[in-house]
Amino acid sequence: MTVSVPGVSVDGGQEALAILDRARAEVDPVLRSAVDSLPPEMRRIARYHFGWQDAAGRAVTGNAGKAIRPALVLAAAEAVGGARARTAAVRAAAAVELVHNFTLLHDDVMDRDPTRRHRATAWHVFGDPDAILSGDALQALALRLLAGDTHPAAVPAVGRLTDCVIELCEGQQVDTALESRDPRAVGLAEVLRMAEAKTGALLGCACAIGGLYGGGSAEEVDSLDAFGRQAGLAFQLIDDIIGIWGDPLHTGKPAGADLTARKKSLPVVAALASGGVAAEELAALYVGPYVEGELERTALLVERAGGRDWAQAEAADRMGTAVGELARAVREPERAEGLLALAEFVTRRSS
């Protein structure tokens, strides 16, 4: 299943893949060097998490992720300041990717996800304490990379990234708290705010840090942050759709995992807030634990109550807002093409 957003061009798909490949090639050596500086056991877990080796420590050709966030850092730096700014921002891009993976290690523990990127999660292999501590170490590595960077943008980048981590933690705390709330008492506005903190904040931070390394003005950097946040919300909306209707062969996760975990994802909350018979039936299901065999019915109720259509339309609206913010940050359209291609890519994906 490929999820698309109406009104968004598909022309950027191949361009985005090339941008991601280039970013991965630029950032990977810095990322590996940073991870290799960790103490042996945390290094082993981090290398496993990134897909560079198996649980026994043997080197493998794995899936280290799409590198969307470091690609945004580099594309934003280049859009604002040109090729030299892009080169200067590689350490910062690696720092952002380290923070992203710190959140993944912790999220997997809290959500009890057994798989990520088509293999067992780190906590599932090494246990909760080691996975959590390895995530903590990745966050510290990110700050160490920036602290050792002599570029003038490094200091404000540290401020941006640390503020972002606090916002990420807030978003995750709210998300976790929502799990124990009555589904009928959860509002769509608060879930959107949670999604912006949990997902939009880091994409916005990535773009803003790129703008800082590109020498952008305060207004340009703030607009890049807003662009990333809105694209991040579109990303989360599509991610939530995939979490319900995605193909496990593409996602690397069990089908309907969000529904069986009774997650208050955006399509579910939109469906619950819609009123009508389907919403009432969905609420009745969601107040209790998942019962084996109810997955298909639950997904159908979310769809019948309008959750899927709302999420698709909201993602398109957020993308429209993102494009407007990008136009304010980068006045010459041709210089913004890389960022736009990446934003389009994250809203047209199957995993």
Side-chain angles (χ1 to χ4, degrees):
M1 179 196 74
T2 299
V3 180
S4 61
V5 174
V8 174
S9 166
V10 297
D11 295 340
Q14 291 304 312
E15 181 185 357
L17 290 173
I19 292 169
L20 291 170
D21 286 344
R22 181 186 173 195
R24 194 177 294 109
E26 291 170 300
V27 170
D28 194 60
V30 179
L31 207 55
R32 286 177 179 265
S33 177
V35 168
D36 285 347
S37 71
L38 289 173
E41 189 59 21
M42 285 186 285
R43 178 170 67 240
R44 183 165 76 101
I45 295 166
R47 289 181 63 83
Y48 172 85
H49 168 75
F50 277 107
W52 300 334
Q53 64 184 40
D54 63 17
R58 295 181 294 256
V60 294
T61 303
N63 177 11
K66 299 179 183 68
I68 289 167
R69 290 154 191 83
L72 285 170
V73 175
L74 298 177
E78 188 169 20
V80 175
R84 293 178 68 177
R86 179 189 180 95
T87 301
V90 169
R91 285 174 66 95
V96 169
E97 184 68 350
L98 286 167
V99 164
H100 173 53
N101 282 275
F102 137 69
T103 69
L104 297 183
L105 281 162
H106 284 204
D107 285 359
D108 286 343
V109 172
M110 286 182 275
D111 295 342
R112 310 314 290 169
D113 284 334
T115 59
R116 178 175 293 280
R117 299 166 181 163
H118 306 278
R119 67 202 308 231
T121 46
W123 73 265
H124 205 61
V125 176
F126 302 102
D128 291 358
D130 283 353
I132 291 168
L133 290 168
S134 296
D136 294 340
L138 293 188
Q139 183 190 176
L141 279 183
L143 296 176
R144 188 161 78 183
L145 276 179
L146 289 175
D149 191 348
T150 58
H151 194 284
V155 172
V158 168
R160 285 264 179 183
L161 195 57
T162 51
D163 285 347
C164 178
V165 168
I166 293 169
E167 189 173 357
L168 289 169
C169 291
E170 179 190 19
Q172 180 65 16
Q173 187 277 324
V174 172
D175 190 27
T176 303
L178 287 175
E179 292 179 12
S180 60
R181 292 260 302 275
D182 187 315
R184 292 161 296 195
V186 176
L188 194 51
E190 67 178 317
V191 179
L192 280 166
R193 286 194 299 272
M194 177 272 292
E196 180 177 348
K198 192 176 172 186
T199 303
L202 189 55
L203 270 70
C205 181
C207 295
I209 287 175
L212 288 170
Y213 275 78
S217 67
E219 293 76 14
E220 289 169 338
V221 170
D222 286 345
S223 290
L224 283 167
D225 190 305
F227 159 74
R229 282 174 178 271
Q230 293 301 315
L233 272 173
F235 179 102
Q236 186 61 56
L237 285 154
I238 298 306
D239 196 62
D240 285 353
I241 293 171
I242 291 169
I244 298 173
W245 296 281
D247 183 346
L249 292 176
H250 290 140
T251 65
K253 293 185 177 183
D258 286 357
L259 295 182
T260 60
R262 294 299 189 243
K263 297 282 287 184
K264 278 41 170 225
S265 65
L266 286 161
V268 167
V269 176
L272 289 167
S274 67
V277 175
E280 291 176 5
E281 289 185 33
L282 178 63
L285 280 179
Y286 243 66
V287 293
Y290 172 72
V291 176
E292 194 68 34
E294 285 186 345
L295 180 59
E296 186 175 347
R297 181 185 171 212
T298 308
L300 184 61
L301 286 171
V302 176
E303 189 159 9
R304 284 180 175 171
R308 188 173 188 171
D309 287 343
W310 174 86
Q312 288 267 34
E314 185 71 13
D317 287 346
R318 297 293 179 169
M319 269 298 296
T321 303
V323 171
E325 294 290 353
L326 182 58
R328 279 186 281 278
V330 185
R331 305 291 180 176
E332 301 171 39
E334 64 277 6
R335 295 174 70 94
E337 287 176 358
L339 286 167
L340 185 58
L342 289 170
E344 292 177 353
F345 175 79
V346 300
T347 55
R348 287 188 172 274
R349 59 202 177 91
S350 57
S351 63

